[in-house]
Amino acid sequence: MCGIAGYLVRTARPAGLSAELEAAVTALRHRGPNDQGTWEQDPMAGLGQTRLSVLDLSSNGHQPMVSEDGQLIMAFNGEVYNFAALRTELEALGHRFRGTGDSEVVLAALRAWGVGAVERFIGMFAIALWDRQAQRLLLLRDRLGVKPLYFGWDGSTFCFASELKALRAFSHWTPQLDKAALAECFQFGYINAPRSIYAGIAKLEPGHWLEIGMDGAPRIERYWSVLDALATPLQGTEEELTAQLETLLIDACKLRMVADVPVGVFLSGGIDSSLVTALLQRHAGTPIHTFTIGFSEAAVDESHHARRVAEHLGTQHTAWVMQPEQALALLPSWGQLFDEPIFDPSGLPTYLVTKMAGQQVTVVLSADGGDEAFSGYAIYETMVAKWRQRAAMPAALLSLLQAVLPRLPIEAADRGVGHLPLPPRWRAALRKHLITRARMLRDVVCAPSLGAAFEAMYSLWPVRDLRRLLGEVRSVREPADVYPGTPVDQMGLWDLHNYLPGDVLAKVDRASMALGMEGREPLLDHRILEFAFRLPVALRRGALGGKHILRRILYKYVPQALIDRPKQGFTIPLGQWLRHDLASMLDHHLAPDAIAAQGIFNPDEVAATLAAFRAGDERQVQRVWSLLAFQLWRERWL
């Protein structure tokens, strides 16, 4: 795993550009602590890379890398797992290789087959390729967006990098907030491609490549979409399809164990991580390393489930309990860690469990993608059930509710509950059984479509609340309804295109790369994603529940009794921490005078949100955290 950066200029080369490229690469040193290099032989282009050595630890893997004929120069971040098979093909065409890693193979493949080579790659990657003869720069990003890639273009200078902090080294660019992206971040908790927090800086979308030369605007094209696979549904019995999927999963896991450094696995004890661990352990030959993080608060601690699975499978298991003071110690560096705002609090335990694993391994596998691919989220079932209830309503009743519900002062009543002279548990019961139900009924009944209702349920700050916080906002995303298939398909595809790359993968990439660790995701092998969305919905959410077909495979390796329990997710006791151990941070970072002086938020809305939270409104926990996380980011970067 590595970090890449570079530029292309069409006008006279600005003074100091070489030093700026060096500074950009140095800003990514945490992503690649083993080596660093730049290339600037042509007057109009420069590439840089920092290297984390995982395959071929020798100097043969140094980058930027030049092709055999000197025409192509490449900076590469990621892994192409099927490089051995590609190498065999290329050697048959006459290519010769000095080292044993995948970077040489990737470069030779692009030289032999052009940009179409990317369709042969199984892996995660962000690639920059300069063609000296054509004087064109090519950027490619992997199909699911595992590896980040930002770029900016002002009409004369084009720059790119793995992280925003590296782009700040280029003096031609002045960071300015993108207000639409800011609203998106507070609505959903993250910013998805193609937007970034800064105006004029974009993310290359997953499954796309970008080309820019000495004239014309950058050209962006899609080379892959899981939607293409939906046109050919899978045929076969449940037993046949289950066997086919198991074969795919085994191959995906085995490919991701290839490394010249120690490899481990994150194990939560849930369906996805237990399956990945079981398949790896069955085919590894020796006990694999597994890692789990727990919490001292029993209500959110699942580490004992992971321990039982590890004992059954016979792994070398390490567990560690996260304490509030460790979160407190990490929070001041939140903005440095996530140089684009992200409000997923599980970034804290993700970082700490990665740090723990780094004491024993350099590469760690996770099970991200299982929920999106195999319909694991319970909200899908909830939304379908509520939409069916709406459809069953008499037309007259539906019209009446649509006229009345938007006029009900639900939010005002919610705030008023916090001031009632009642015990906290009574106030919580009122919110749960009255306010929350009324809000949910309104959001479903008044939504123009199931996709809009799904988005409202998903929103951290729904649009009506965002307007009070930020002023006028506009939606920048397509609802789930734009995707084909059943409602479950549509919601899964929305998550696959939004939540997965924008939140989950961004969080894991920054947390792991901050520590010089490489994360790999076997369930995000594009062959598995294509297979999953070609399956009938009944095999994804069937008799065994969510991820029906994955459960069928898992239960061959792990007893069902060790797995079946309510899904908890990677949760931390955030509300408790914010009310106690982190309370002083709220007083400091969300002080009314400071909020007013910044001019970003409505200080009255921030104060009301904080007051409702302190009055016991659990719905405000994530909102208060989002405000704190943004402030930590703002103080570092604005």
Side-chain angles (χ1 to χ4, degrees):
M1 205 66 65
C2 312
I4 62 174
Y7 65 83
L8 177 147
V9 291
R10 288 183 179 168
T11 56
R13 182 188 180 92
L17 192 55
S18 295
E20 290 174 6
L21 177 60
E22 289 283 357
V25 174
T26 299
L28 299 172
R29 187 68 176 176
H30 55 284
R31 297 183 69 92
N34 302 125
D35 192 18
Q36 179 173 325
T38 59
W39 177 93
E40 289 185 293
Q41 290 184 3
D42 290 344
M44 68 286 293
L47 304 180
Q49 192 240 27
T50 61
R51 183 186 180 204
L52 174 65
S53 302
V54 172
L55 290 168
D56 190 353
L57 310 186
S58 74
S59 60
N60 290 325
H62 177 77
Q63 293 187 46
M65 187 174 286
V66 182
S67 63
E68 295 174 273
D69 60 4
Q71 181 175 335
L72 302 181
I73 297 87
M74 180 188 74
F76 168 54
N77 168 29
E79 302 285 350
V80 171
Y81 302 116
N82 62 327
F83 75 95
L86 295 174
R87 177 176 177 135
T88 299
E89 283 189 66
L90 290 163
E91 286 175 334
L93 296 176
H95 288 269
R96 296 293 175 261
F97 299 94
R98 294 174 301 149
T100 59
D102 61 337
S103 298
E104 274 190 284
V105 175
V106 169
L107 180 56
L110 289 165
R111 184 70 187 94
W113 301 314
V115 68
V118 72
E119 297 181 11
R120 299 172 180 244
F121 297 163
I122 299 173
M124 54 178 186
F125 47 83
I127 304 171
L129 190 75
W130 173 248
D131 188 324
R132 300 185 70 179
Q133 181 177 332
Q135 294 190 342
R136 300 193 74 78
L137 176 68
L138 178 69
L139 302 181
L140 304 105
R141 191 175 181 200
D142 65 69
R143 294 171 178 85
L144 278 304
V146 179
K147 293 291 100 187
L149 191 54
Y150 294 86
F151 68 90
W153 167 242
D154 66 2
S156 62
T157 302
F158 181 92
C159 57
F160 67 89
S162 296
E163 296 182 21
L164 287 172
K165 59 174 67 75
L167 290 181
R168 298 176 75 97
F170 294 106
S171 60
H172 73 281
W173 173 58
T174 302
Q176 293 183 331
L177 278 180
D178 182 315
K179 292 185 178 179
L182 178 66
E184 177 188 14
C185 193
F186 273 88
Q187 183 175 3
F188 298 108
Y190 58 93
I191 301 166
N192 196 28
R195 293 162 297 282
S196 86
I197 189 60
Y198 297 123
I201 300 295
K203 302 184 189 83
L204 185 60
E205 293 185 75
H208 285 68
W209 56 263
L210 177 152
E211 187 178 44
I212 182 170
M214 301 312 292
D215 53 47
R219 181 165 67 99
I220 299 176
E221 291 196 14
R222 176 177 66 82
Y223 68 85
W224 181 86
S225 171
V226 74
L227 300 179
D228 296 336
L230 271 62
T232 53
L234 290 169
Q235 304 296 323
T237 66
E238 181 171 337
E239 288 70 23
E240 290 169 341
L241 294 174
T242 301
Q244 291 173 32
L245 177 58
E246 184 175 4
T247 299
L248 265 180
L249 288 166
I250 291 170
D251 186 59
C253 289
K254 290 171 71 174
L255 281 176
R256 285 158 180 79
M257 286 297 285
V258 176
D260 294 327
V261 293
V263 179
V265 187
F266 288 143
L267 175 61
S268 70
I271 296 167
D272 303 334
S273 67
S274 297
L275 178 57
V276 168
T277 302
L279 294 176
L280 289 171
Q281 185 60 71
R282 174 66 60 91
H283 298 279
T286 58
I288 61 173
H289 295 273
T290 53
F291 304 94
T292 297
I293 192 166
F295 303 96
S296 54
E297 294 81 2
V300 295
D301 181 45
E302 292 192 297
S303 60
H304 54 289
H305 298 300
R307 185 189 69 249
R308 293 172 64 198
V309 173
E311 290 172 351
H312 174 79
L313 295 173
T315 70
Q316 294 184 23
H317 189 61
T318 303
W320 182 68
V321 176
M322 180 180 177
Q323 302 294 339
E325 55 267 25
Q326 289 155 333
L328 186 62
L330 180 59
L331 278 180
S333 61
W334 181 270
Q336 178 66 25
L337 180 61
F338 298 105
D339 60 359
E340 180 169 64
I342 186 170
F343 303 150
D344 188 340
S346 66
L348 294 168
T350 299
Y351 176 89
L352 292 169
V353 73
T354 304
K355 185 176 182 179
M356 174 187 68
Q359 298 172 10
Q360 300 182 50
V361 301
T362 305
V363 174
V364 64
L365 276 66
S366 66
D368 296 320
D371 285 305
E372 291 79 8
F374 294 95
S375 305
Y377 292 125
I379 191 174
Y380 300 163
E381 194 169 297
T382 300
M383 289 306 306
V384 170
K386 292 189 176 301
W387 203 251
R388 285 174 179 163
Q389 291 171 2
R390 169 182 151 149
M393 287 181 181
L397 175 60
L398 181 61
S399 296
L400 177 63
L401 289 174
Q402 288 174 336
V404 171
L405 285 171
R407 293 178 169 83
L408 293 181
I410 298 174
E411 275 67 36
D414 194 358
R415 295 178 186 276
V417 167
H419 300 290
L420 293 176
L422 297 172
R425 68 179 184 276
W426 288 20
R427 291 200 298 265
L430 270 176
R431 285 197 170 99
K432 179 179 179 181
H433 298 294
L434 182 62
I435 304 295
T436 300
R437 288 184 178 182
R439 182 184 289 114
M440 189 177 296
L441 179 64
R442 179 195 62 195
D443 291 344
V444 171
V445 166
C446 298
S449 66
L450 185 145
F454 175 63
E455 185 174 288
M457 295 278 285
Y458 223 119
S459 295
L460 177 62
W461 293 76
V463 173
R464 67 177 67 86
D465 298 338
L466 267 183
R467 291 195 176 108
R468 293 198 304 269
L469 180 70
L470 296 172
E472 188 56 40
V473 299
R474 62 182 178 85
S475 177
V476 293
R477 290 198 191 171
E478 297 281 4
D481 309 275
V482 303
Y483 296 107
T486 69
V488 171
D489 287 315
Q490 292 174 329
M491 290 183 283
L493 288 165
W494 190 94
D495 274 330
L496 186 74
H497 287 87
N498 290 282
Y499 176 62
L500 181 71
D503 183 312
V504 176
L505 297 180
K507 170 191 67 182
V508 173
D509 174 82
R510 302 309 190 278
S512 59
M513 294 312 303
L515 297 161
M517 291 276 289
E518 175 169 301
R520 297 178 176 180
E521 292 85 8
L523 297 185
L524 292 181
D525 189 302
H526 72 277
R527 300 169 299 168
I528 293 174
L529 268 295
E530 291 171 350
F531 188 95
F533 279 98
R534 293 171 64 199
L535 285 169
V537 170
L539 292 188
R540 283 181 270 140
R541 291 197 73 86
L544 295 177
K547 296 182 275 196
H548 169 90
I549 194 168
L550 290 187
R551 291 174 185 267
R552 284 203 57 175
I553 299 170
L554 174 60
Y555 296 157
K556 294 170 56 178
Y557 299 87
V558 179
Q560 185 171 351
L562 292 185
I563 300 298
D564 278 4
R565 62 183 185 276
K567 182 177 175 60
Q568 197 164 346
F570 201 12
T571 338
I572 66 174
L574 186 61
Q576 182 174 334
W577 289 359
L578 289 172
R579 287 192 174 96
H580 301 286
D581 301 87
L582 307 182
S584 60
M585 295 190 74
L586 299 183
D587 294 332
H588 173 71
H589 293 284
L590 303 184
D593 291 347
I595 295 295
Q598 291 160 19
I600 297 173
F601 305 123
N602 175 353
D604 292 336
E605 182 65 16
V606 173
T609 300
L610 190 56
F613 162 73
R614 285 177 166 160
D617 185 354
E618 292 303 312
R619 186 168 177 263
Q620 306 302 327
V621 171
Q622 290 289 342
R623 294 188 182 188
V624 169
W625 164 252
S626 71
L627 292 166
L628 175 61
F630 179 83
Q631 290 295 84
L632 293 169
W633 175 86
R634 187 201 62 79
E635 290 180 8
R636 174 64 181 87
W637 298 110
L638 290 184

